[in-house]
Amino acid sequence: MLPKAHKLASPAQFRRTMAARTRAGSRTLVVHVAARTELAFSGGPRFGLIVSKAVGNAVTRHSVSRKLRHVVAAGVDTLARDTDVVVRALPPAAAASSAELARDYAQALAAALKKLRAKGK
């Protein structure tokens, strides 16, 4: 489970992160990344998960959510404190193992962060 300081809490925060248009995808998920611009913020990087009904029934969605929470929690210390990340699961995520999700997340996050740095220059 992610601590409260590492969670996107409101729909507005999800929208702002996704509206930044800095994203990268893989077969199983899409990662949206945005840098916060507030002058003062607490906590570290914040994460949000989107696992829609397109992924599967409730049991499948919860299973995918649990796997993604563990994958995201493992990488909290690797991101800058001002980073917001939204991970959107795609239908193939239902059949993916935790290792596959971790690999896809790492690749998509690296690509999205590279795009974010390029935008900042």
Side-chain angles (χ1 to χ4, degrees):
M1 196 61 132
L2 285 169
K4 187 176 181 177
H6 293 292
K7 290 182 185 177
L8 291 175
S10 71
Q13 293 172 343
F14 275 82
R15 278 194 300 274
R16 188 190 62 76
T17 302
M18 294 176 76
R21 296 275 185 211
T22 305
R23 66 178 182 252
S26 68
R27 185 181 70 81
T28 59
L29 48 89
V30 176
V31 176
H32 300 262
V33 178
R36 281 182 270 164
T37 57
E38 297 117 29
L39 295 176
F41 50 85
S42 62
R46 298 184 303 188
F47 299 89
L49 302 177
I50 300 173
V51 184
S52 73
K53 287 185 179 181
V55 174
N57 63 20
V59 173
T60 302
R61 292 193 311 271
H62 287 290
S63 174
V64 170
S65 294
R66 276 192 306 275
K67 290 175 187 176
L68 286 175
R69 271 196 305 272
H70 288 286
V71 166
V72 166
V76 166
D77 297 334
T78 63
L79 292 174
R81 289 183 57 208
D82 66 341
T83 307
D84 285 347
V85 178
V86 172
V87 179
R88 184 169 48 92
L90 299 174
S97 69
S98 293
E100 290 171 321
L101 290 174
R103 184 191 67 239
D104 287 352
Y105 171 73
Q107 290 173 348
L109 180 63
L113 288 172
K114 184 176 178 181
K115 289 178 184 179
L116 183 64
R117 282 188 222 107
K119 274 186 177 182
K121 290 183 180 179

